[in-house]
Each structure stands twice: as structure tokens, then as C-alpha cells.
Amino acid sequence: MREFFDADWRPAPGVAGRIVEPGHQFEWAWLLLRWGRARRRDDAVQAGLRLLEIGERHGIDPARNVAFNSLLDDFSIHDHSARLWPQTERLKAAVLAAEITGQADFWTLASHTADGLLRYLDTPVPGLWWDKLSADGIFTDEPAPASSFYHIVCAIAEFDRAIRAAGG
């Protein structure tokens, strides 16, 4: 799913029109999975699983265990750095996919994703978080944006809800 469009909903001209953000792939995967389950729409569930699969296949740096900030429409990496919020969306999508499908691979993915997210919460000041991880694995020392808080809370709540529903 592309990020930038013109007034006629065509991809924006130039590189901007080619940008795909794995974080939004995961966010839309979670939304489609959730809606599909609620409405008993297998087509929406399958679309959500497909977005999750695309994000996992092309948008993850296995060395850092994080989702890249952005790709281009040919799935080449556009921005190697990794913000916090895509990691939370990845976790939400993985746990809901695990819950809906019952497939152990999705539970493994959720656990692996949670490990990646925990790195962002390991700060010198308890209760704060890192927002940006560079391509070489170094966090940017800057104020933590408050806008990330709801992403963190929602990811933890979704993870906790799914684990409890699974009897864990």
C-alpha cells in the first residue's frame, strides 16, 4: 500500500508516489483481521494475512529484528532506519493473526516481534522509550515523542488480550 497520492488518488509523482511503509502494512493488516473476524469476512482476513506476509517478507531487517521505515514499490529499501511505532503495529498484527489462525508460526512471530519492541523500551529513564533506530543499530538520543505512547499501550493491550484469550 503506497503512502502518497495526488488529488485524483493516483500515486504522487516521483519517489514520493513509490513509498510503502511496512508499519502501515502491519496496521492495515491488523485492521482488516479485526474487521474480518468481527464481520465473518474471510476475504478481509485473507487480505490482512497477505499484508502481514508482505510486510514480513520485504519490510523487516532480520539483523536488527525491526521493521524498516519505508520501502519503494519494488520492495527495495528506501529508509533503513526504524521508528518505534511500526514495531507496535507489527506486534498487533502478529498476535491477532496467531489468535485467528491458531498457527504456531504467528505466535513465534509475535514473540520475536515483542523482543524487537522491547529494545525501544530499554532506556536510561524508566517509562520513556527510544523512537528512532539507525541502520547501524544505534538509537537516536532525542526527546521521546508522546505520540508513540498510544502505539505502545495498544500493542501491549493487544498482546495481553490475545495471550489471555489463548489461555496463557
Side-chain angles (χ1 to χ4, degrees):
M1 293 178 17
R2 296 173 200 245
E3 290 293 320
F4 301 102
F5 299 87
D6 67 15
D8 294 318
W9 285 105
R10 291 181 305 237
V15 172
R18 298 186 57 210
I19 293 176
V20 174
E21 293 182 358
H24 283 136
Q25 295 284 122
F26 296 127
E27 185 173 26
W28 276 101
W30 179 75
L31 290 168
L32 284 166
L33 289 168
R34 191 173 165 163
W35 185 82
R37 180 176 64 175
R39 298 289 181 226
R40 295 189 170 95
R41 292 281 305 267
D42 190 56
D43 58 334
V45 169
Q46 291 308 311
L49 291 172
R50 178 74 176 130
L51 285 175
L52 176 56
E53 186 264 327
I54 290 168
E56 284 297 318
R57 179 179 298 156
H58 302 287
I60 300 301
D61 178 356
R64 294 180 297 161
N65 185 27
V66 294
F68 294 114
N69 278 351
S70 62
L71 308 170
L72 295 178
D73 57 2
D74 63 359
F75 298 122
S76 61
I77 302 165
H78 178 253
D79 181 351
H80 286 78
S81 58
R83 291 200 54 208
L84 178 142
W85 74 265
Q87 317 322 313
T88 66
E89 298 302 331
R90 182 183 180 208
L91 179 58
K92 287 168 41 184
V95 297
L96 190 53
E99 187 177 22
I100 289 172
T101 68
Q103 293 178 14
D105 288 350
F106 286 121
W107 287 113
T108 301
L109 174 61
S111 175
H112 189 62
T113 300
D115 289 341
L117 175 59
L118 283 174
R119 292 177 58 205
Y120 288 80
L121 305 179
D122 185 16
T123 66
V125 180
L128 291 184
W129 51 86
W130 300 108
D131 182 54
K132 296 175 188 157
L133 181 63
S134 69
D136 57 0
I138 298 170
F139 284 104
T140 303
D141 190 8
E142 64 184 2
S147 61
S148 297
F149 186 62
Y150 92 94
H151 285 284
I152 296 167
V153 170
C154 287
I156 292 169
E158 183 71 0
F159 189 71
D160 182 65
R161 185 201 55 71
I163 294 295
R164 288 176 190 270

